[in-house]
Amino acid sequence: MIRWKNLLADSLNAVEVVTFDYPYISKRKPPPKAEKLVEFHSDFVKTIAAKYPHHPLILAGKSMGSRVSCMVAAENGIRASAVVCLGYPLKGPKGSIRDEPLLQLTVPTIFVQGTKDGLCSLESLEVVRKRMKALSRLHVVENGDHSMKIAKKNLELAGISQEEAEQSAVQAIAKFVSQTVGAS
């Protein structure tokens, strides 16, 4: 996330882009269910929002962090301007579809998903996006996995670098944020 933080800070001209680790990470424990992280995440977001009361609040997360960001953005008292989901984990245990946080959202949301993401097929995401109340966009990372990593052979075939693929995603995010936050 530090790399994405730096890429987003540069492209968004943000006042501040803040990252944090959930408490379980420092204890090297397996992650708890996403629902158990909402309070911690929400408290952190409220602290940052209070620090910058007149600036847009854009929640971004990778994998489970994007799912929790969606849960937090749907809460009362959180005035998120947009949500950025990097590798949203739509597929849950035993193949269940974890769409409830997305269906609760009312703020604009952009998904950055790889075509080879085993936790979120683009077809399943498209079905969910059609059911969402919130405006949503999708940026596809061709041959990207759940972390948007592209195998070397696919990079060579496409004639691009990993950095160029990531920069394309960041540009899509910046355009989305500019259009949605700038329109509010």
Side-chain angles (χ1 to χ4, degrees):
M1 274 308 293
I2 299 298
R3 177 157 170 68
W4 284 98
K5 170 195 173 194
N6 294 334
L7 290 169
L8 291 171
D10 291 343
S11 71
L12 295 175
N13 296 318
V15 172
E16 186 170 7
V17 176
V18 181
T19 59
F20 64 90
D21 287 331
Y22 292 115
Y24 76 87
I25 291 174
S26 63
K27 297 174 184 162
R28 297 187 177 173
K29 292 183 176 181
K33 290 186 181 248
E35 293 78 7
K36 294 192 180 279
L37 300 172
V38 170
E39 183 179 359
F40 177 84
H41 195 127
S42 182
D43 289 347
F44 190 87
V45 166
K46 288 175 184 173
T47 299
I48 296 302
K51 186 175 176 183
Y52 300 105
H54 303 292
H55 292 276
L57 175 65
I58 300 157
L59 304 183
K62 171 72 188 87
S63 193
M64 183 167 50
S66 69
R67 189 163 164 245
V68 178
S69 288
C70 291
M71 292 173 178
V72 170
E75 282 187 353
N76 286 331
I78 300 292
R79 296 185 124 152
S81 301
V83 178
V84 177
C85 296
L86 302 168
Y88 188 88
L90 188 60
K91 183 179 171 186
K94 300 178 184 171
S96 64
I97 299 296
R98 298 189 278 203
D99 60 356
E100 195 57 36
L102 302 176
L103 300 177
Q104 299 300 317
L105 282 174
T106 57
V107 299
T109 304
I110 185 168
F111 298 91
V112 178
Q113 296 292 147
T115 58
K116 296 189 176 194
D117 185 343
L119 293 177
C120 185
S121 77
L122 297 180
E123 296 80 18
S124 295
L125 181 59
E126 193 57 35
V127 169
V128 174
R129 286 184 57 224
K130 286 178 181 175
R131 295 176 45 223
M132 289 175 65
K133 295 180 259 185
L135 168 75
S136 72
R137 294 282 184 269
L138 171 63
H139 177 80
V140 175
V141 178
E142 194 62 41
N143 292 308
D145 65 11
H146 187 61
S147 295
M148 270 59 77
K149 294 289 183 204
I150 304 169
K152 187 177 177 181
K153 68 176 183 174
N154 290 322
L155 289 170
E156 290 170 357
L157 285 170
I160 63 168
S161 67
Q162 182 68 44
E163 292 76 22
E164 289 170 321
E166 290 171 357
Q167 198 54 245
S168 176
V170 168
Q171 288 170 358
I173 293 166
K175 181 178 179 182
F176 176 79
V177 169
S178 173
Q179 290 173 338
T180 56
V181 173
S184 5

